[in-house]
Amino acid sequence: MIEKFGSLLSADAANYEKAVRDLENKNFNGLHFDVMDGHFVRNFAFNATIIASLRKLTNMVFNTHLEIENPEQYLDMFIDAGSNMITIHPQACGNLERALRYLKAKGILSSIALDPDINIKQIIKYLPLADNIIVMSVYPGFGEQKFIESSFEKIKEIKKIIKTGNFNISISVDGSINNETEKKVINCGADILIYGSSIFRK
């Protein structure tokens, strides 16, 4: 079954509660939080305090996407805030294997984000420790970007590797998911679609 997550990066910050209620009413499965530090990406967004506040409003799955440097130093902060899944960019993490093992030990779903310039072959050795892979179909940091067409083949490649290796890993796609791209990424093998500006900025 395909799951839908709403990325609050594009929502009205003054009305997060309304955004959460609207997504619940539309049967979304989870919320996606883009945590940005102004270093790994040139933008700032969200923190553990905001996530903890929204955790009180809903039982939806929270995926906290750490678009920050040295994410392994902040895992406990976002676990305590109520994250169910935490996503890490391998190039930002000093020891990805240790971070993934730590999330497993804490009972948190572990997710690896693949930027458009990162090849799946660079993280194959970590797949036994991953529950999810996010294919970034735009560059991280900002919403309302154009979908990168090469992402379709990337999703297919990852799906093939997962099936061949018999890994229990879901594939998420983050970036410019809308009426035009959603069916295409599903056909390529995506399991989770992350919607942002297409649902919040109509």
Side-chain angles (χ1 to χ4, degrees):
M1 184 182 74
I2 302 301
E3 295 187 359
K4 299 187 296 182
F5 279 53
S7 174
L8 294 187
L9 180 65
S10 298
D12 180 1
N15 291 286
Y16 281 150
E17 182 173 358
K18 181 181 183 301
V20 171
R21 299 302 180 210
D22 287 346
L23 292 174
E24 286 181 324
N25 292 334
K26 293 176 182 177
N27 296 315
F28 271 64
N29 304 96
L31 297 177
H32 184 89
F33 297 97
D34 293 292
V35 178
M36 305 178 187
D37 63 359
H39 295 283
F40 181 66
V41 294
R42 292 189 299 169
N43 199 0
F44 294 92
F46 292 105
N47 57 38
T49 301
I50 295 173
I51 294 171
S53 295
L54 295 177
R55 178 78 281 176
K56 299 173 185 177
L57 301 178
T58 181
N59 291 320
M60 283 196 291
V61 174
F62 279 17
N63 178 19
T64 299
H65 182 182
L66 298 181
E67 299 173 53
I68 62 177
E69 292 182 354
N70 304 311
E72 64 273 26
Q73 298 180 15
Y74 306 99
L75 297 180
D76 282 327
M77 181 185 297
F78 291 100
I79 291 172
D80 293 343
S83 303
N84 305 105
M85 179 189 296
I86 292 181
T87 300
I88 297 172
H89 287 257
Q91 71 271 39
C93 187
N95 192 324
L96 182 59
E97 180 177 348
R98 180 182 296 174
L100 296 175
R101 289 189 182 279
Y102 187 78
L103 292 174
K104 288 281 192 182
K106 288 288 185 175
I108 304 297
L109 295 173
S110 59
S111 174
I112 302 173
L114 290 183
D115 288 4
D117 298 332
I118 301 295
N119 192 293
I120 181 64
K121 294 177 182 178
Q122 295 177 239
I123 61 140
I124 283 181
K125 66 179 181 180
Y126 303 111
L127 293 185
L129 299 173
D131 298 295
N132 176 260
I133 294 175
I134 292 185
V135 175
M136 296 296 300
S137 48
V138 299
Y139 285 93
F142 296 91
E144 300 188 65
Q145 298 181 56
K146 184 179 179 181
F147 190 96
I148 297 173
E149 295 290 323
S150 60
S151 303
F152 294 127
E153 289 302 318
K154 197 169 193 177
I155 297 166
K156 291 179 183 178
E157 181 185 4
I158 294 170
K159 194 71 172 183
K160 182 178 180 180
I161 291 172
I162 289 173
K163 286 185 175 181
T164 302
N166 197 29
F167 296 113
N168 185 23
I169 300 173
S170 58
I171 299 174
S172 300
V173 183
D174 183 8
S176 194
I177 296 298
N178 52 43
N179 292 335
E180 295 181 5
T181 58
E182 58 185 2
K183 291 182 180 179
K184 293 180 181 180
V185 298
I186 290 171
N187 289 337
C188 289
D191 305 294
I192 300 172
L193 308 185
I194 301 171
Y195 295 82
S197 57
S198 64
I199 60 171
F200 289 117
R201 294 183 179 175
K202 293 185 178 179

